[in-house]
Amino acid sequence: MDSSRLPDAADNGLLDRRTLLRAGLGSAAALLTASAHGTRPDHMRQPGAPMSGTSPPATELARTAIQSQPGTLGSGASRTPLQHLDGLITPSRLHFERHHAGIPTIAAHAHRLVIHGRVKRPLVFDLDALHRYPIVSRLQFLECSGNSAALLTPQPADMDCGAIHGLISASEWGGVPLNILLDEAGIEPGATWAVASGADAPAMNRSVPLEKLYEDAIVALYQNGEPLRRANGYPMRLFLPGWEGNASVKWLRALQVTDQPAMSRQETSKYSDLDVDGNARLFTFPMGVKSIITSPSPGLTLGEHGIYQISGLAWSGAGRIRRVEVSADGGKTWAEAQLDDHVLDKCLTRFRAAWRWRGAPAVLMSRATDATGAVQPDRAANIEGRATGSFYHVNAIQAWAIDSHGAARNVYA
Ligand code: CO
């Protein structure tokens, strides 16, 4: 195909999204020659490796930007290397982590979940008991509300996509709907909250409105088809779709039904949002509509001039993604991106766009709109009204500058 005749959808090389569906777009392959096909490599001269109980990954991908509080090993975060992944599922071994006092080693058979407080029948569940209830599974994202805080620094940080945005992952989460367990316990009149606490060293706790627990919360037992990883709450965790990750308490051991929130450390001093007038907004649970281009991005340098696929992720705590637009000229003009087939409620959605890079500098951006009509804000709008140091719920548009050598870096546009 003569790619020079492809229709533009926006300035600086963005092509119509239907371009992606055409064959032969890339023209990145080398011509086949006799010498390239002629020799049998060693792995075709003898049988391969034996079978084994588990399959190690083919590549050395690892979490990134692993940081803990001074003097601690397990009180911090590690991030998903988003720029090296495709699709919408995060492999469990690369799911981001955020812990407040390390990963507890819990004997599953000894672990209990207690539902108590303002209930008619206080109940205790072990893992076997929970398996006798209906289990549902859903593909959904989990995002730490401190994700992307690096976009608040006065000068753009020299960081890659995973290091800036990697506190977002998506999995198939399987578990028991909480409305079933709460109904069995019997909520007393006037109860409106439940305080969820974990079996880690600080008994990390968060208060959650009963309304959310009834709407779509589960006690998660499975992640991507296997029991939860220990770092993600084994043997059981709370999972609150679309809400800030901290409230999805890992290693869940108690739900105390109450008529008011606990006002605990992690919902007052932390995980609250301070504005310039000194007001603290508490219980800001839903994660905003957001998107990022994962490729190209820092570290993934373009080679020859020609047509590239821009690829990225979009999500919203309010529901499905309706639309993603991409820009190659720093937000002056926008083209609609193609969404992958799976556009799911409160899940990562993969988007793609075709872009002709002619070797000129470019600034790539993406902007998501969710099913409620909410549009991802630009950086200035996202910062406006925030107190200095108030860093939760950053969902600003990310800009990557591409230089004439094809290298990408974080910029403010
Ligand atoms: Co919040």
Side-chain angles (χ1 to χ4, degrees), residues 145-146 206 244 270-273 281-287 392-393:
S145 59
R206 286 295 302 265
E244 59 188 9
K270 308 295 179 186
Y271 300 98
S272 59
D273 304 280
R281 289 187 296 124
L282 307 179
F283 309 111
T284 51
F285 292 117
M287 298 307 294
Y392 299 109
H393 295 283

Side-chain angles (χ1 to χ4, degrees), residues 171-405:
S171 300
E172 181 190 14
W173 297 100
V176 181
L178 257 163
N179 62 341
I180 296 174
L181 306 180
L182 292 171
D183 274 348
E184 185 171 342
I187 303 297
E188 295 274 15
T192 46
W193 291 79
V195 182
S197 60
D200 54 349
M204 217 292 298
N205 68 357
R206 286 295 302 265
S207 309
V208 181
L210 279 181
E211 187 179 5
K212 176 66 174 177
L213 298 183
Y214 269 92
E215 181 189 344
D216 58 1
I218 62 172
V219 178
L221 309 175
Y222 291 95
Q223 181 183 1
N224 295 329
E226 63 180 352
L228 299 176
R229 301 282 169 119
R230 287 191 186 277
N232 263 297
Y234 180 80
M236 60 189 70
R237 74 175 301 167
L238 186 58
F239 188 78
L240 305 173
W243 281 20
E244 59 188 9
N246 177 256
S248 283
V249 173
K250 298 191 292 281
W251 315 294
L252 184 67
R253 68 188 286 270
L255 282 168
Q256 180 187 7
V257 177
T258 65
D259 60 358
Q260 58 186 330
M263 306 302 277
S264 65
R265 177 174 185 262
Q266 303 294 346
E267 57 202 21
T268 52
S269 165
K270 308 295 179 186
Y271 300 98
S272 59
D273 304 280
L274 200 63
D275 71 22
V276 286
D277 297 324
N279 302 307
R281 289 187 296 124
L282 307 179
F283 309 111
T284 51
F285 292 117
M287 298 307 294
V289 59
K290 190 166 173 180
S291 69
I292 40 168
I293 291 171
T294 55
S295 176
S297 68
L300 306 179
T301 301
L302 304 179
E304 292 176 34
H305 302 172
I307 296 177
Y308 284 84
Q309 178 174 269
I310 292 171
S311 173
L313 295 166
W315 65 97
S316 168
R320 288 180 168 78
I321 289 298
R322 175 187 293 169
R323 179 195 311 136
V324 178
E325 300 155 287
V326 293
S327 175
D329 57 9
K332 292 199 260 308
T333 63
W334 297 86
E336 185 136 352
Q338 183 74 30
L339 305 184
D340 272 10
D341 282 353
H342 307 287
V343 180
L344 303 172
D345 185 46
K346 298 165 190 152
C347 189
L348 295 183
T349 293
R350 177 65 61 175
F351 65 87
R352 305 173 195 277
W355 177 50
R356 182 193 287 112
W357 181 56
R358 296 189 179 90
V363 176
L364 302 180
M365 303 166 82
S366 66
R367 178 172 68 189
T369 303
D370 72 19
T372 71
V375 181
Q376 184 179 5
D378 64 25
R379 183 172 171 273
N382 202 212
I383 290 176
E384 189 176 347
R386 271 177 200 274
T388 303
S390 183
F391 64 90
Y392 299 109
H393 295 283
V394 174
N395 63 332
I397 289 172
Q398 168 71 60
W400 304 126
I402 311 292
D403 70 16
S404 59
H405 306 287

